[in-house]
Amino acid sequence: MYSKEVMEHFQHPHNMGEIKNPDGVGTVGNPQCGDVMKIFIKVEKGKDGKERLKDIKVQTYGCVAALATSSMITDLAMGKTLDEALKISNKQIAEALKGLPPIKMHCSVLAADALHSAIEDYRKKGARRIQPKESKAKARR
Amino acid sequence: MKRIYLDHAATTAVAKEVFQAMQPFFSEKYGNASSLYSLGREAKEAIEDSRAIAAKVIGAEPREIIFTSGGSESDNMVLRGIPEAGDHIITSAFEHHAVLHTCQALEKEGVKVTYLPVTKDGFVRTEDVKKAITKNTKLISIMHANNEIGTIQPIAEIGKICRESGVLFHTDAVQTYGKIPIDIKNIDFLSASGHKLYGPKGIGCLYMKSGVSLKPLITGGSQEHKMRAGTENAAGIVGFGKASELAMKNMGKEAAYETKLRDMLIDDVLRIEDSWLNGSRKNRLPNNTNLGFDYIEGESIILHLDIKGIAASTGSACSSESLTPSHVLTAIGLSPVKAHGSLRMTLGKDNTKEEINYVLGVLPGIVENLRKISPMKLARR
């Protein structure tokens, strides 16, 4: 029922855990339905002035598909700008995993929602806290 | 990698002796049991021998046994063959879907159905059965042992209540036929299946007490006393007979052996923090364990076990077609969250102590690893 890619991510999920002092956190899902995902992000501003996902970690409670999709989204989003990350759709996650059983498609929706909600959380908290990497050097000049 | 099979409540491997007994009935003794020549008579005789054995397992008369395609068909025969629109039937909230979904279909046809609640230990209360009976009650259907949590229902008492009230009583004995003794004195209908006791799939039987009747589900030829039309599945029936014979012979021995392994498994698994046993420990099938673990989900556990070569099933239905948690576990009062974290391991005659030790060696690590990545720290029972 599950693709090789799904089983690989399930068996060895990427970026599991939490980030201490994260810039944003997104929790989605409902334990009643058997799936909860909590995504932690760390954001940095690059030379181009764009905010990027420097680190992502996820904690997942759920079935095989929940674990695999949450692992996959951390791979897909790592290093992306926030705008790019927000464009990652659940369909992309499912495709990257070489498909999900129709009944498990909601797991990919959860994974995308969890990331979007972490980014929103970051933006709400005030993105201004994060300064461009080069700001100090520039100031010295 | 060696495989450890711990899902005997789902199905079992066909025993060698059973397979051998069946083999001639495919290409050599292939006659139609209704044919008058010797090839047909040979099949007929084999079928009747199996019927006598099946009857003996439960202390019935051979003519009270009707061969069917299995437990689901037997359940359907009774449920669809007795009540009519306006009639009332009683069942329990944690029956097998073969009974529950059929009852739901009957409701659409105008049959009134009472679904009795069960205790948190996993039993139907006989007082509830008594109270639910009305003047329109035609049939009561309560399973002998629950397929998920293995609790053995008080069917002798329920049968007595039915008899005193003049209501027909059916029990789905798919998990118990040939495994534990069954007293059919006050039972009118009983469903049994071959593949749960080292017989083939696609064969089972319905015990129907002489003197009672029902409207057949499958009409056509006059096979099976006109109760179930269709050319008899001679090979399957012979397999069912052989499996029944072996089960009868080994019943006590196997039950004692499996009980020992079961208790070893339960005691050791319960040492894992935040774990529990679903269903009563007393009055439980010798081969059934159903354990719950906080903070993690059942499907992930069973697929990690699968990677280690262990075949088990989840109490939650997440791995199958439906995402809703097990109706059995919610019926015994588990919250959906608790119900999602369940693991059913059901033992068989060929499991060994070494196998159970292997399972006990890998399971705690699987639970721990899944908990490490789970955000669910505050789930409470």
Side-chain angles (χ1 to χ4, degrees), chain B residues 75 78 139-142 168-172 189-191 206:
Chain B
D75 290 345
V78 178
L139 175 74
I140 295 179
S141 178
I142 303 288
L168 293 169
F169 181 44
H170 165 249
T171 190
D172 177 325
F189 303 99
L190 178 146
S191 306
L206 176 70

Side-chain angles (χ1 to χ4, degrees), chain A residues 89-108:
Chain A
S89 68
N90 78 296
K91 240 180 118 187
Q92 272 173 277
I93 302 169
E95 276 164 17
L97 286 166
K98 302 275 155 58
L100 283 172
I103 198 167
K104 299 288 188 177
M105 276 307 282
H106 72 281
C107 292
S108 62

Side-chain angles (χ1 to χ4, degrees), chain B residues 178-211:
Chain B
K179 294 186 179 162
I180 58 173
I182 302 174
D183 179 4
I184 53 159
K185 197 172 97 193
N186 292 319
I187 295 171
D188 298 297
F189 303 99
L190 178 146
S191 306
S193 166
H195 73 105
K196 310 286 189 189
L197 68 160
Y198 313 101
K201 294 165 183 66
I203 188 73
C205 75
L206 176 70
Y207 157 76
M208 185 167 97
K209 204 179 247 356
S210 64

Side-chain angles (χ1 to χ4, degrees), chain B residues 46 54 111 169 178 193 216 254 310 328 340 356 371:
Chain B
V111 174
F169 181 44
S193 166
E254 275 173 21
I310 302 161
V328 172
H340 276 301
I356 303 306
R371 280 178 177 173

Side-chain angles (χ1 to χ4, degrees), chain B residues 122-147:
Chain B
F123 298 104
V124 171
R125 278 177 294 243
T126 51
E127 315 91 81
D128 288 350
V129 177
K130 226 181 251 177
K131 271 186 239 159
I133 296 173
T134 70
K135 62 178 186 347
N136 294 324
T137 310
K138 285 281 172 330
L139 175 74
I140 295 179
S141 178
I142 303 288
M143 68 203 323
H144 190 191
N146 184 273
N147 52 306

Side-chain angles (χ1 to χ4, degrees), chain B residues 104-341:
Chain B
Q104 284 156 12
L106 290 174
E107 280 187 280
K108 286 188 190 134
E109 293 164 21
V111 174
K112 292 198 176 56
V113 184
T114 299
Y115 301 91
L116 296 176
V118 294
T119 65
K120 66 177 179 22
D121 282 342
F123 298 104
V124 171
R125 278 177 294 243
T126 51
E127 315 91 81
D128 288 350
V129 177
K130 226 181 251 177
K131 271 186 239 159
I133 296 173
T134 70
K135 62 178 186 347
N136 294 324
T137 310
K138 285 281 172 330
L139 175 74
I140 295 179
S141 178
I142 303 288
M143 68 203 323
H144 190 191
N146 184 273
N147 52 306
E148 285 190 32
I149 57 172
T151 49
I152 300 163
Q153 304 305 306
I155 58 164
E157 289 92 319
I158 296 170
K160 209 168 149 230
I161 293 167
C162 290
R163 187 67 13 118
E164 286 162 7
S165 317
V167 178
L168 293 169
F169 181 44
H170 165 249
T171 190
D172 177 325
V174 164
Q175 295 292 340
T176 56
Y177 168 85
K179 294 186 179 162
I180 58 173
I182 302 174
D183 179 4
I184 53 159
K185 197 172 97 193
N186 292 319
I187 295 171
D188 298 297
F189 303 99
L190 178 146
S191 306
S193 166
H195 73 105
K196 310 286 189 189
L197 68 160
Y198 313 101
K201 294 165 183 66
I203 188 73
C205 75
L206 176 70
Y207 157 76
M208 185 167 97
K209 204 179 247 356
S210 64
V212 301
S213 194
L214 52 70
K215 195 175 84 211
L217 201 60
I218 300 175
T219 50
S222 59
Q223 293 92 349
E224 299 300 305
H225 315 302
K226 292 187 184 162
M227 281 295 142
R228 206 273 189 182
T231 299
E232 297 88 339
N233 171 7
I237 291 171
V238 167
F240 184 81
K242 192 70 189 174
S244 299
E245 183 193 320
L246 294 171
M248 194 163 43
K249 197 174 101 192
N250 301 322
M251 195 188 285
K253 204 175 70 188
E254 275 173 21
Y257 177 68
E258 287 167 13
T259 301
K260 220 191 278 172
L261 293 183
R262 177 198 72 183
D263 290 344
M264 177 179 149
L265 192 54
I266 292 174
D267 287 339
D268 213 278
V269 172
L270 288 181
R271 282 192 211 148
I272 297 174
E273 226 176 88
D274 299 326
S275 67
W276 68 91
L277 178 70
N278 289 313
S280 164
R281 209 157 163 162
K282 273 190 197 158
N283 293 321
R284 186 182 193 102
L285 283 178
N287 75 337
N288 175 290
T289 72
N290 189 315
L291 296 143
F293 305 94
D294 274 319
Y295 322 125
I296 57 178
E297 197 272 342
E299 193 201 54
S300 295
I301 308 174
I302 57 160
L303 279 157
H304 272 298
L305 285 171
D306 184 37
I307 291 163
K308 301 276 186 194
I310 302 161
S313 88
T314 156
S316 101
C318 197
S319 57
S320 63
E321 295 305 304
S322 146
L323 295 173
T324 51
S326 146
H327 70 285
V328 172
L329 298 180
T330 48
I332 61 169
L334 255 64
S335 67
V337 183
K338 288 272 182 187
H340 276 301

Side-chain angles (χ1 to χ4, degrees), chain B residues 16-34:
Chain B
K16 265 194 204 114
E17 300 95 312
V18 172
F19 187 46
Q20 272 166 12
M22 290 172 72
Q23 269 170 329
F25 290 88
F26 289 100
S27 302
E28 296 156 44
K29 305 181 178 185
Y30 54 85
N32 186 320
S34 300

